[in-house]
Amino acid sequence: MRDDKPDEANRAHLGQIFDEDAELYDRARPGYPPKLFDDLIETAGIGPGPRVLEVGAGTGKATLPLAERGCRITAVELGANMAAVARRNLAGFEAVEIVTADFETWPLPAEPFDAVVSATAFHWIDPAVRMAKAADALRPRGALAVVATQHVAGGTESFFAEVQDCYERFDPSAPPGLRLPAAHDVDSSDHAHEVARSGRFGPVAFRRYAWDLTYTTAEYLAVLRTYSGHRALSPKAREGLLECIAGLIDRRYGGRVTKRYLTELRVARTARARR
């Protein structure tokens, strides 16, 4: 199952579930490879002090690195708790504004942006709206930069094969025998097709970053508690699943496992002026 392809029937509900524990999300979720942000600035072709609209800012995991690179940012975040944490994290940057709103209905300002950025959030935006509204927000030749993150094969591979038994016991939606894809097998052409269908952007430039992160048992359970699919389980099923996972890590892996992430930067520029 793709991490950035939520079930459309549950997209709106699952997209808001992160706000239930914004502090845990901020503490447990990893950020992004620093090179990604340097590449974003370069690939988007934006000069010093660019004006950026961030869609789905969360607690500011991508907002902060962009602000540190001199971007002037309007960050739109639906969750009030997530937005409050983001304001705290970005308090030292006067050129950053955190707006609590849903992107779909938020009125665009008159002045266009140099770039629209969305980090691990664009898939939660209504697909009927997201491309056209992002294009409307941009100046001519402005850039849409979408960051997607996938969990791929690597790290402590045997753990991620064994842990499937826990998911099949406690999560009724878990596909039997699921195995993680290799990084080179992840196909993100659907994004390129969506961009092309919109008729508002030129071709998409892709850059990929594979990286490993090691977790203690407690750290790994904390990050799992931030995932929408885990949070959507019944409390009994969720706690049973987490106990099963914790027991496996402690018993078989000495209390530490390494997870491999594939982060992808997808940049496309507007094909014509704003309407």
Side-chain angles (χ1 to χ4, degrees), residues 206-267:
F206 292 88
R207 295 195 182 184
R208 286 183 162 188
Y209 316 81
W211 51 290
D212 291 346
L213 188 58
T214 298
Y215 294 95
T216 65
T217 303
E219 290 167 344
Y220 191 62
L221 294 190
V223 77
L224 292 182
R225 290 181 186 276
T226 71
Y227 290 161
S228 58
H230 292 69
R231 297 192 69 86
L233 292 172
S234 71
K236 182 178 180 180
R238 182 171 58 249
E239 292 312 309
L241 173 62
L242 295 177
E243 286 177 12
C244 182
I245 294 171
L248 179 60
I249 298 173
D250 287 339
R251 184 177 65 254
R252 297 265 292 141
Y253 295 93
R256 300 176 75 85
V257 291
T258 298
K259 180 173 180 174
R260 178 161 297 169
Y261 292 94
L262 175 68
T263 301
E264 186 172 64
L265 172 63
R266 310 161 174 177
V267 179

Side-chain angles (χ1 to χ4, degrees), residues 103-190:
F103 177 67
E104 290 90 338
T105 62
W106 179 67
L108 292 173
E111 184 184 355
F113 292 88
D114 298 304
V116 171
V117 175
S118 188
T120 320
F122 205 61
H123 54 286
W124 297 117
I125 306 301
D126 186 346
V129 173
R130 58 196 180 202
M131 285 294 167
K133 189 158 187 177
D136 287 344
L138 289 164
R139 61 166 171 79
R141 299 295 294 161
L144 170 63
V146 173
V147 178
T149 299
Q150 308 285 343
H151 180 194
V152 295
T156 313
E157 293 199 58
S158 57
F159 163 74
F160 291 105
E162 290 186 68
V163 80
Q164 181 64 20
D165 291 340
C166 295
Y167 282 93
E168 292 180 21
R169 283 176 57 193
F170 293 100
D171 183 355
S173 69
L178 180 68
R179 293 295 181 265
L180 293 169
H184 61 263
D185 287 334
V186 174
D187 181 7
S188 51
S189 61
D190 54 335

